[in-house]
Amino acid sequence: MLKGKLKLPDKAKRAFPDRLGSLVAGFEDKEEENRGSDLVFESGEELETIQPNGYGSGGESENDEDDEDYDEKVDRESDLRIRPKPEREGPGSVSVLAAIAADDKRSDLEYELSQPEINLEKLQRIASSGLPDGGGLRATAWKSQLTRKKVGALSYCDHPADGVVAGPLKRHEISEEDHPLSLGKASVWHQYFQHTEIAEQIDRDLQRTHPDLKFFSGDSSFSRKHRESMRSILLLFAKLNPVIRYVQGMNEVLAPIYYVFSTDTNEQNAANAEADSFSCFVRLLSDSVDHFCEQLDNSAVGILSTLSRLSELLKANDEELWRHLEFTTKVKPQYYAFRWITLLLTQEFNFQCIMRIWDSLLSSPYGVQDMLLKICCAMLLCVKSRLLSGDFVANLKLLQNYPDINIEHLLQVARDLSSDPSTYRLSLTL
């Protein structure tokens, strides 16, 4: 424990939440005697987690509708902001210098986002080291970085839905093919049943989306509202992309985008979360939509080509590990990295870590896929010793259930890698 008392400068105070006092045991008792002086923490005092005043755990509010917004706010904070303190961290882990640095980063970010014309290069440089939670800054930064992408001509796997005609509707005679019992693929009834099947699949997947977060799961009115919005986004995407339609796992890619946009502190922005999420979801998938198209698996833009690039990157960076996985244990990238790449690592880490990783993905000046492959390669390098000592079963289990890791260290290893394997000069000791 720290000895004596710690006085915080004014700038550091601003970096802490306004309600910090309610987190410190005994703070209210000391407030009177310390009034008019600097904020003081007695040695030995511990931070306590906020309890949601009984909401959502045991009892129910007498006015559920009136308290809906409050419950949603409490649930979000309980899900993401209140976490037990790891035992290995000492009492000095929350440093004043780190708080000041975070405050400076927030100020820099607010300044860049307030400019009439945003400098994307500066924004990417700030975002690559992580965006601050709260205040809507992450939502604004993600939108700025995603909307810079131009969605041009897509592959033949994407084309407009048939039968879309501009102008007033006209009555047509029902052909034999459009009989409700017709099995023809062009039948409107076939399309209706297909749409119903997709909707049911989306509903099942949304029920399983981050079940540990009340924002997405549960029977509360706000969680149902969020699932309904995500359902509309995924159904519209499937309708506009009839060849790909909906592929299981797209719900996981949409979840971080929708969460960040719908929790924006700007009420108008939050109200437009569904539309903004759809737009950014389409732009994000424009880089990897071919990974979901089975017809393109063996093409230059298919998932097998991307897995091959990952293998080549690993070979250039650590040939010993590459040979062990490729020839000794025969653990091919398609056994573990298929999910990593198609779902943008959303199944490998907790939600808070996912958002931090996505800060780096979206801020990469070379594109999401480039940074994604670097992170995947870094994930292999960071568990090199365990992989070299493991056999096929042990290594497959390790990579399909990736262990907890220091995210900042992982991202630093990824940043130190080069997109072009021939220019790689980093030496790692793992």
Side-chain angles (χ1 to χ4, degrees):
M1 298 300 296
L2 293 175
K3 296 182 179 181
K5 299 182 179 180
L6 174 64
K7 294 188 177 182
L8 299 183
D10 292 337
K11 191 170 187 179
K13 296 176 188 177
R14 294 196 300 271
F16 285 95
D18 292 339
R19 61 181 183 181
L20 180 62
S22 63
L23 298 177
V24 182
F27 179 88
E28 294 181 355
D29 297 336
K30 300 178 183 297
E31 187 176 10
E32 292 297 327
E33 66 182 66
N34 291 328
R35 188 178 302 277
S37 61
D38 291 337
L39 184 62
V40 178
F41 292 92
E42 291 286 357
S43 61
E45 293 177 334
E46 298 290 343
L47 297 182
E48 299 175 352
T49 55
I50 302 174
Q51 299 299 328
N53 298 326
Y55 290 99
S57 55
E60 298 181 354
S61 173
E62 296 179 357
N63 301 311
D64 290 338
E65 295 182 359
D66 295 339
D67 293 335
E68 181 179 318
D69 292 339
Y70 172 79
D71 289 342
E72 180 173 2
K73 180 178 179 182
V74 168
D75 287 333
R76 289 202 307 266
E77 293 175 346
S78 299
D79 287 335
L80 297 178
R81 297 180 62 185
I82 302 173
R83 295 181 179 274
K85 187 177 181 181
E87 293 182 359
R88 66 175 180 271
E89 294 185 0
S93 59
V94 182
S95 71
V96 175
L97 292 179
I100 295 175
D103 191 37
D104 289 340
K105 177 190 288 189
R106 180 181 291 272
S107 298
D108 292 342
L109 189 58
E110 289 173 344
Y111 174 78
E112 293 299 334
L113 294 175
S114 67
Q115 299 304 301
E117 185 174 343
I118 296 176
N119 187 321
L120 285 176
E121 184 178 348
K122 291 183 178 179
L123 179 60
Q124 289 170 347
R125 186 167 60 251
I126 298 172
S128 65
S129 62
L131 294 166
D133 296 321
L137 294 177
R138 176 175 275 124
T140 306
W142 281 17
K143 290 176 189 177
S144 299
Q145 295 171 93
L146 281 169
T147 54
R148 84 185 194 278
K149 295 171 57 62
K150 295 182 179 180
V151 182
L154 300 178
S155 67
Y156 76 87
C157 209
D158 289 318
H159 55 75
D162 295 333
V164 178
V165 181
L169 298 176
K170 296 181 180 180
R171 183 179 297 275
H172 296 278
E173 293 185 2
I174 300 177
S175 64
E176 181 178 347
E177 189 179 42
D178 285 338
H179 189 279
L181 299 181
S182 172
L183 299 178
K185 291 186 178 181
S187 167
V188 293
W189 285 100
H190 173 79
Q191 296 175 17
Y192 168 77
F193 291 129
Q194 189 177 64
H195 174 83
T196 301
E197 181 181 348
I198 292 172
E200 291 175 350
Q201 179 64 56
I202 290 174
D203 288 338
R204 287 194 295 270
D205 289 347
L206 288 177
Q207 289 290 340
R208 296 191 290 262
T209 303
H210 295 289
D212 55 323
L213 300 182
K214 295 180 181 179
F215 180 89
F216 298 105
S217 65
D219 294 326
S220 64
S221 58
F222 71 85
S223 63
R224 289 196 301 269
K225 177 188 70 175
H226 297 321
R227 289 197 299 271
E228 187 63 32
S229 293
M230 293 175 66
R231 181 180 190 269
S232 299
I233 293 170
L234 295 171
L235 279 174
L236 180 57
F237 180 87
K239 185 69 175 177
L240 296 177
N241 298 272
V243 176
I244 301 177
R245 300 196 298 270
Y246 168 79
V247 179
Q248 190 174 20
M250 287 183 176
N251 58 304
E252 301 291 349
V253 177
L254 173 61
I257 298 175
Y258 180 76
Y259 175 86
V260 169
F261 291 176
S262 62
T263 55
D264 194 327
T265 54
N266 183 298
E267 293 183 2
Q268 183 61 44
N269 290 343
N272 296 326
E274 185 175 323
D276 290 343
S277 296
F278 174 77
S279 176
C280 290
F281 177 70
V282 171
R283 291 174 183 272
L284 179 61
L285 284 190
S286 66
D287 275 346
S288 59
V289 68
D290 293 331
H291 292 163
F292 293 97
C293 188
E294 187 176 357
Q295 298 96 310
L296 297 178
D297 280 355
N298 295 307
S299 72
V301 294
I303 183 62
L304 295 181
S305 176
T306 303
L307 291 171
S308 178
R309 287 173 55 200
L310 173 61
S311 180
E312 292 171 2
L313 188 61
L314 177 62
K315 180 181 180 181
N317 299 336
D318 195 318
E319 187 168 351
E320 179 189 15
L321 180 56
W322 172 78
R323 287 187 177 278
H324 182 75
L325 292 176
E326 194 74 16
F327 300 109
T328 305
T329 61
K330 300 186 184 303
V331 179
K332 307 294 184 180
Q334 52 264 40
Y335 298 157
Y336 58 89
F338 181 90
R339 185 179 69 185
W340 293 4
I341 293 171
T342 55
L343 302 188
L344 303 182
L345 300 174
T346 55
Q347 292 287 285
E348 316 312 317
F349 304 95
N350 64 49
F351 199 69
Q352 192 72 32
C353 291
I354 292 169
M355 292 195 292
R356 173 62 189 94
I357 290 172
W358 276 35
D359 288 342
S360 293
L361 288 179
L362 299 180
S363 64
S364 172
Y366 303 105
V368 170
Q369 288 298 307
D370 179 85
M371 188 62 185
L372 177 62
L373 289 183
K374 288 182 181 180
I375 296 176
C376 291
C377 185
M379 290 169 66
L380 297 172
L381 295 175
C382 287
V383 292
K384 174 181 177 179
S385 59
R386 295 179 63 178
L387 290 173
L388 290 177
S389 63
D391 57 10
F392 175 85
V393 175
N395 287 349
L396 192 61
K397 182 178 180 180
L398 173 65
L399 296 177
Q400 289 184 343
N401 299 275
Y402 198 79
D404 292 337
I405 191 174
N406 184 310
I407 293 298
E408 294 302 329
H409 170 70
L410 173 66
L411 294 176
Q412 185 58 55
V413 173
R415 284 192 292 268
D416 289 339
L417 299 177
S418 171
S419 298
D420 181 2
S422 64
T423 64
Y424 178 72
R425 294 291 183 272
L426 178 67
S427 176
L428 289 175
T429 302
L430 295 173

